[in-house]
Amino acid sequence: DDANSVFQKQLEIKPNDPDAIYHMALIDSQGKNQNSSAIEKIQKVLSIEPEHLNARFYLALLYARDRYKEPSYREESINQLQILITTCEEFPDFEDIHSAYFLLGGLYDDDPKDIRLAIDAYEKGLAIADWSAEAHNNLGVLYSQRGWADKAVYEFREAIKLDSDYASPYYNLAKIYFSIFSIVFMIL
């Protein structure tokens, strides 16, 4: 509440301060059922300053958060991320571009026909920041869906190296080994 009132006072002095509006959107997004208010504020920030890359990324996150309630939000989130990535190719000012690629990979992963796009997004993100066990695991799952067992095994092992307490890559690796064992057993 205190932070919100300070940003309100800033807006009284400078009504279209994009950073004040952005931070108010962040506050709104933490409240229960406040996503629509946060989205409106972020859209206002982007109308004032289209190159506000943190706002663009956060808008993509907000859309992604509610994509199962509002199906059009998936496409909105993808669109915002594509704009962000294109902007970063020209002006590499966004430090968390890898997070944009990982989010994009997760969004594409929602639709089986977009598996190639999901793989590309995860690969690009991991080329920039290879320390995400979750991204390695997710890429491994996508590789295994394509039947690329060697690549999948590599990604699951990388995920385990990065976070030995993360259970998913162990499970996914075991599934691959079990299917290989089953095939060999059937042949014999």
Side-chain angles (χ1 to χ4, degrees), residues 159-180:
I160 290 167
K161 278 191 235 175
L162 290 167
D163 185 355
S164 61
D165 294 330
Y166 183 31
S168 292
Y170 291 104
Y171 172 77
N172 292 324
L173 191 57
K175 281 182 12 183
I176 288 178
Y177 287 148
F178 179 76
S179 35
I180 291 170

Side-chain angles (χ1 to χ4, degrees), residues 130 136 139-140 143 148-161 173 176-177:
D130 67 348
H136 279 288
L139 182 56
Y143 283 157
W148 302 337
D150 290 346
K151 286 183 163 191
V153 166
Y154 173 81
E155 296 301 331
F156 296 140
R157 287 182 176 169
E158 287 300 304
I160 290 167
K161 278 191 235 175
L173 191 57
I176 288 178
Y177 287 148

